[in-house]
Amino acid sequence: MHRWTDLAATPESLRPCVLTLGNFDGVHRGHKAVLSALVEAGQRLGLPTVAVTFDPHPVAVLHPERAPELISPGRVRDDLLADTGIDGLLVMDFTTDFAQQSPEDFVTEVFVRDLDARCVVVGLDTRFGYRNSGDVSTLADLGERFGFEVLSLDDVGEGERYSSTVIRARLLAGDVADAARILGRPHRVVGTVVHGNHRGRGLGYPTANLSADSLGLVPQEGVYAGWLTRMDLGDEEPDRTMPAAISVGTNPTFDTGDRRTVEAYVLDRDDLDLYDETVMVEFVDHIRPTLRFESVEELTTAMAGDVERCRELLTNIVPR
């Protein structure tokens, strides 16, 4: 997938194209339905497929006090989009000036002039232009005027519409299993492994501590079953993706005022040196809330139980 940020630098190989528009936070099953339809339209018309998105998130610019914590920011979102099979990703700089564009000006400049869109695939809730005044009806009218087809998809969901807002609420409540159902995969956080307090190693459970600038919404404090993937290794290399017990929290038993961290213990492995590696931690299921234990012995007993529970949950699951 080719990623670019400057309209003037649009590759000729991606013009004309079939395109879609959205924030794609989380790249959940609703997004994937649109992206799948995009790829199908591209195959039907024999044209490359392009997704148009924004950075920063529009709400962070227009209403920073209401800005959501992103589920899959930056490269995490971009990697997920690449996995859908699209050919190009245009990431546009969202500014207050940009937000003043009328729907017609936006479509004329981006869709028609620079991308030469022949088909636009969107969800029914798509909004664009000044104060989100453009909708699917607006897009259909502009399509008739400028000669591009518009395909709009109904909402997708089981009992409720799949949305980034719903996923965010599930993660902040610790319900990573239901978040995974809507995402179509486990939620992931990506970061560099850094040195921590080394308490885990002293207790017999050495953990990979993710850096404070890791990408991805961190779920509610607690212990989770999941996977650790070493992003610097090739897909076919051994020890690339391994089962893990994941802790999110501040280590309350030691009462040291630590910052909230994500740390993962790879099950039954004390021989790994992961420092400075980029890793992806994926959350499969919630094990228990974060607890304060009265002694180190109580803590290690609980950790042994956590590891066993993780092993039971992950044994028959194949990582995605």
Side-chain angles (χ1 to χ4, degrees):
M1 182 188 75
H2 182 79
R3 180 189 185 279
W4 78 107
T5 59
D6 181 359
L7 271 175
T10 299
E12 285 302 316
S13 62
L14 294 178
R15 304 177 71 252
C17 69
V18 178
L19 67 79
T20 188
L21 171 73
N23 291 310
F24 303 111
D25 186 26
V27 192
H28 54 66
R29 290 170 65 184
H31 296 142
K32 290 173 185 173
V34 172
L35 293 161
S36 178
L38 176 75
V39 171
E40 289 177 7
Q43 293 171 344
R44 171 171 58 86
L45 297 173
L47 294 174
T49 51
V50 172
V52 179
T53 190
F54 308 102
D55 187 47
H57 192 289
V59 177
V61 174
L62 300 176
H63 304 285
E65 74 285 356
R66 303 206 313 256
E69 186 175 359
L70 297 182
I71 300 164
S72 303
R75 62 167 287 194
V76 180
R77 176 199 61 191
D78 296 354
D79 287 348
L80 288 166
L81 287 170
D83 288 343
T84 66
I86 63 174
D87 300 302
L89 174 64
L90 171 60
V91 183
M92 303 192 71
D93 183 24
F94 194 92
T95 65
T96 52
D97 287 342
F98 181 86
Q100 301 305 306
Q101 284 185 306
S102 69
E104 180 175 344
D105 287 346
F106 171 72
V107 168
T108 303
E109 178 182 353
V110 180
F111 290 11
V112 178
R113 189 189 72 192
D114 286 286
L115 294 175
D116 192 10
R118 302 299 171 85
C119 178
V120 177
V121 183
V122 292
L124 280 177
D125 64 338
T126 296
R127 297 290 185 275
F128 58 97
Y130 180 64
R131 293 190 173 179
N132 280 335
S133 55
D135 57 15
V136 171
S137 176
T138 310
L139 197 56
D141 291 341
L142 292 169
E144 287 187 10
R145 189 190 313 178
F146 292 110
F148 58 80
E149 178 185 2
V150 175
L151 299 177
S152 58
L153 274 68
D154 291 334
D155 290 340
V156 178
E158 298 171 0
E160 62 184 338
R161 172 179 169 270
Y162 296 145
S163 74
S164 302
T165 300
V166 171
I167 295 166
R168 195 173 292 114
R170 298 290 193 275
L171 292 174
L172 293 176
D175 191 354
V176 297
D178 200 53
R181 176 184 65 83
I182 303 171
L183 287 166
R185 56 168 178 81
H187 173 60
R188 59 184 60 172
V189 174
V190 176
T192 304
V193 177
V194 298
H195 288 275
N197 293 315
H198 301 282
R199 295 195 191 96
R201 183 168 296 279
L203 297 172
Y205 300 97
T207 58
N209 296 266
L210 271 62
S211 57
D213 60 356
S214 296
L215 298 175
L217 192 156
V218 176
Q220 183 185 60
E221 292 188 7
V223 178
Y224 299 86
W227 307 99
L228 181 143
T229 297
R230 304 170 71 178
M231 303 296 285
D232 300 329
L233 297 184
D235 289 346
E236 303 304 320
E237 293 192 48
D239 292 344
R240 185 173 194 266
T241 298
M242 299 169 284
I246 306 159
S247 174
V248 176
T250 58
N251 296 311
T253 297
F254 295 95
D255 199 22
T256 56
D258 290 351
R259 68 173 177 85
R260 188 163 172 258
T261 60
V262 176
E263 49 189 303
Y265 164 65
V266 176
L267 303 191
D268 307 315
R269 297 294 297 270
D270 59 6
D271 59 331
L272 297 170
D273 183 358
L274 303 177
Y275 293 117
D276 298 324
E277 284 194 33
T278 300
V279 301
M280 175 173 68
V281 172
E282 295 179 287
F283 297 81
V284 173
D285 209 346
H286 182 261
I287 301 297
R288 64 169 173 84
T290 297
L291 301 171
R292 186 183 189 283
F293 296 96
E294 295 302 318
S295 67
V296 172
E297 289 74 19
E298 287 185 16
L299 172 61
T300 54
T301 298
M303 292 171 71
D306 296 338
V307 168
E308 187 56 36
R309 180 61 179 146
C310 289
R311 186 179 291 109
E312 292 172 359
L313 285 168
L314 299 172
T315 294
N316 296 316
I317 298 177
V318 177
R320 291 177 181 267

